[in-house]
Amino acid sequence: MSTTPAKTAPTELLAEINKSGSTNLHHVNPQEKNPLPSAEVINQERTEAELRDRIGSFNKDQLKHTTTEEKTVLPSPDDIQHEKLETELRERIGSFSKEQLQHIRIEEKINLPTGQDIQHEKVEQELRDRIGSFHKEDLNPTETAVKVVLPTEDDIHHEKVEQELRERIGSFHKEDLNPTETTVKVVLPTEDVIEQEKQEQELKNSINSFKRASLKHAETQEKNPLPQSDAIQLEKKETELRQSIEGFEKNQLKHAVTDEKVKLPTKEEILEAKKLEK
């Protein structure tokens, strides 16, 4: 095996360490970054390695043949008893013969009626017999009496009062009436009505006592002044124009000769102008 030479520290670093001296150095606790495995891990790894070696060196010829014995499970007492019963039943069914059977007569049971049912049936039978032997001639006609409902005490009292009123009305005479004087009730007016009536009375008195001599002359102001002469003249002209327009007729128009103020150019002048433009 080739040994690798140990790495030496650089000379510069060693020179600085020598210069500084041991007094400037500080103690440092080294931390192990790659710890060694524990004893348990080592033992576990050893056992695994041994197992791998043994498995790798295993030989099938070393195996020995063994015979397997089948274990029989005994039945429980309940199972044995149940099996015995089944075997007995099978034997009895196998040895059974039809000749041993005996014929049995089936008798229908009739339930006797109770005393109430018998009594009820007797009554029904009697009714049927009587209905069957019934004749219309045996019927006796009977008079039906109309039941009259008696009135109550209130009805009797009410009827008495009505009867008394009818008798009094029938025996009534106008001569028995006594004339009485009727007094007319005058309703007094309210305060508002009295006040209004006072005002009306004062107005009437002032109108009756009015005299023209007491009137004073007052200057009247004209609120709607008449138009000025210029406005009147202008309005007259407008009315005349309207009337003339309304009474206008086309027949009154006269033909007038129009003088041409702008002379149009001749063809020669137009051609010369075009040539000049070119």
Side-chain angles (χ1 to χ4, degrees):
M1 293 176 67
S2 61
T3 58
T4 57
K7 292 181 179 180
T8 58
T11 56
E12 294 178 357
L13 182 60
L14 292 172
E16 289 179 0
I17 291 167
N18 293 325
K19 287 179 182 179
S20 61
S22 61
T23 56
N24 295 326
L25 296 175
H26 298 285
H27 182 71
V28 178
N29 293 322
Q31 294 180 359
E32 189 176 0
K33 293 183 179 179
N34 189 10
L36 295 172
S38 61
E40 294 177 356
V41 176
I42 293 166
N43 291 328
Q44 187 177 1
E45 194 171 352
R46 279 179 184 174
T47 53
E48 288 179 358
E50 289 176 358
L51 286 170
R52 289 191 191 95
D53 294 337
R54 289 174 64 185
I55 291 165
S57 62
F58 179 73
N59 190 5
K60 292 180 180 180
D61 297 333
Q62 296 176 2
L63 294 173
K64 293 179 181 180
H65 184 69
T66 57
T67 57
T68 57
E69 295 178 357
E70 186 178 358
K71 292 182 179 180
T72 56
V73 180
L74 295 173
S76 63
D78 295 333
D79 295 335
I80 294 165
Q81 188 68 25
H82 185 66
E83 193 172 355
K84 283 182 180 179
L85 290 171
E86 285 183 353
T87 52
E88 288 178 0
L89 287 170
R90 288 192 190 95
E91 290 174 357
R92 290 175 64 184
I93 291 165
S95 61
F96 179 75
S97 61
K98 293 181 180 180
E99 296 174 355
Q100 296 176 1
L101 294 173
Q102 295 179 359
H103 184 68
I104 299 171
R105 293 179 63 186
I106 300 169
E107 295 180 357
E108 187 178 358
K109 291 183 179 180
I110 299 170
N111 294 323
L112 295 173
T114 61
Q116 293 179 356
D117 295 335
I118 294 166
Q119 188 68 26
H120 185 66
E121 193 171 355
K122 283 182 180 179
V123 172
E124 286 183 353
Q125 189 64 35
E126 289 177 358
L127 287 170
R128 289 192 191 95
D129 294 338
R130 290 174 65 184
I131 291 165
S133 61
F134 178 74
H135 298 287
K136 292 182 180 180
E137 297 172 356
D138 298 336
L139 293 173
N140 295 321
T142 57
E143 294 180 358
T144 56
V146 179
K147 292 183 179 180
V148 179
V149 180
L150 295 174
T152 60
E153 293 181 358
D154 295 334
D155 295 335
I156 294 166
H157 181 70
H158 185 66
E159 193 172 355
K160 283 181 180 179
V161 172
E162 287 183 353
Q163 188 66 30
E164 289 177 359
L165 287 170
R166 288 192 190 95
E167 290 176 357
R168 290 174 65 184
I169 291 166
S171 61
F172 178 74
H173 298 287
K174 292 181 180 180
E175 297 173 357
D176 297 335
L177 293 173
N178 295 321
T180 57
E181 294 180 358
T182 57
T183 57
V184 179
K185 291 183 179 180
V186 179
V187 180
L188 295 174
T190 60
E191 293 180 357
D192 296 334
V193 175
I194 294 167
E195 188 67 26
Q196 187 177 2
E197 193 171 353
K198 282 181 179 179
Q199 291 177 1
E200 289 179 356
Q201 189 66 33
E202 288 177 357
L203 286 170
K204 287 174 184 174
N205 293 330
S206 62
I207 290 165
N208 292 327
S209 62
F210 178 73
K211 294 179 181 180
R212 291 183 180 179
S214 60
L215 293 174
K216 294 180 181 180
H217 183 71
E219 294 181 358
T220 57
Q221 295 179 358
E222 188 177 0
K223 293 183 178 180
N224 189 11
L226 295 172
Q228 296 179 1
S229 58
D230 296 335
I232 294 166
Q233 193 68 25
L234 182 63
E235 192 173 355
K236 283 181 180 180
K237 288 180 180 179
E238 286 180 356
T239 53
E240 288 176 358
L241 285 170
R242 289 193 190 95
Q243 290 175 1
S244 62
I245 290 165
E246 289 174 358
F248 177 74
E249 294 179 1
K250 291 181 180 181
N251 298 326
Q252 297 176 0
L253 293 173
K254 294 179 180 180
H255 184 69
V257 179
T258 57
D259 296 332
E260 188 177 356
K261 293 181 179 181
V262 179
K263 293 181 180 181
L264 295 172
T266 60
K267 290 181 179 180
E268 295 175 354
E269 291 175 353
I270 292 166
L271 291 172
E272 288 179 359
K274 285 181 178 180
K275 288 178 181 180
L276 291 171
E277 288 177 359
K278 291 179 179 181

